[in-house]
């Protein structure tokens, strides 16, 4: 018997891992936990504020900056991620797999105007409802976990 044929993609096909940071904006409203979702600019899908890491800025702070720019939210982030998820980012000629590290943002205020105001819809939801609205399975699971912890 000869050697088994080597699969042509098995050893040579490796996707580079792209990394983003995200804020998980939370608040207590009428005795219940709420999470803030924003729509993406191009496809109008619901998600949490996220973006690329920023040079010389800690990831937890970068996540807070994204929440401020995308949703006008102010607050305090936890220093360590509360979870992570993967999604496919659409590019001009391809899709890239992105790993998103999620930092809880305890929201303390909201700006009257912010950078991406008018470019995105911003709304608060109960965690279970938010989990049903987002497309990414990992993010949905993270949001469902909030409901169970509350």
């Amino acid at each position: 018997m000869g050697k088994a044929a080597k699969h042509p993609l098995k050893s040579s096909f490796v996707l580079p891992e792209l990394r983003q940071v995200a804020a998980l904006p939370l608040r207590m409203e009428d005795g219940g936990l709420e999470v803030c979702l924003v729509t993406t600019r191009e496809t109008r899908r619901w998600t949490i504020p996220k973006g690329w890491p920023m040079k010389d800025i800690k990831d937890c702070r970068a996540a807070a900056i994204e929440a401020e720019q995308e949703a006008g939210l102010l607050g305090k982030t936890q220093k360590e991620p509360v979870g992570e998820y993967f999604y496919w980012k659409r590019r001009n000629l391809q899709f890239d797999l992105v790993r998103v590290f999620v930092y809880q943002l305890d929201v303390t205020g909201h700006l009257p105007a912010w950078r991406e105001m008018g470019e995105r819809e911003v709304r608060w939801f109960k965690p279970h409802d938010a989990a049903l609205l987002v497309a990414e399975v990992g993010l949905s699971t993270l949001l469902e976990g909030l409901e169970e912890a509350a």
Side-chain angles (χ1 to χ4, degrees), residues 4-150:
K6 193 174 183 183
H7 191 282
L9 296 180
K10 201 167 202 172
S11 63
S12 62
F13 185 71
V14 177
L15 287 173
E17 182 177 288
L18 299 178
R19 189 171 70 84
Q20 286 189 319
V21 296
L24 180 61
L26 300 176
R27 74 177 183 187
M28 293 300 288
E29 190 73 18
D30 297 325
L33 186 65
E34 291 185 333
V35 60
C36 184
L37 297 183
V38 298
T39 56
T40 61
R41 287 188 283 195
E42 292 182 20
T43 61
R44 310 303 292 173
R45 291 175 302 103
W46 288 107
T47 190
I48 55 178
K50 67 180 175 301
W52 302 106
M54 300 174 187
K55 187 177 182 185
D56 298 327
I57 296 176
K58 291 182 179 182
D59 286 348
C60 60
R61 178 67 189 127
I65 291 169
E66 292 296 338
E68 184 177 325
Q69 292 176 350
E70 295 182 11
L73 300 175
L74 302 173
K76 181 168 174 48
T77 53
Q78 293 184 358
K79 293 188 185 327
E80 296 298 321
V82 293
E84 61 186 61
Y85 68 95
F86 290 89
Y87 81 104
W88 290 99
K89 180 159 184 66
R90 183 192 329 214
R91 303 291 191 133
N92 288 338
L93 301 174
Q94 69 191 39
F95 285 86
D96 289 322
L97 185 62
V98 180
R99 183 180 192 180
V100 182
F101 293 87
V102 180
Y103 294 84
Q104 182 174 322
L105 175 71
D106 297 318
V107 176
T108 58
H110 194 273
L111 296 172
W114 58 95
R115 179 187 283 181
E116 297 180 16
M117 185 175 182
E119 296 178 38
R120 301 173 186 273
E121 189 173 343
V122 178
R123 288 190 43 203
W124 290 92
F125 298 94
K126 298 292 181 193
H128 175 75
D129 295 335
L132 294 173
L133 289 169
V134 298
E136 298 84 6
V137 174
L139 178 55
S140 180
T141 301
L142 189 64
L143 294 169
E144 283 289 352
L146 292 174
E147 190 77 22
E148 294 166 8

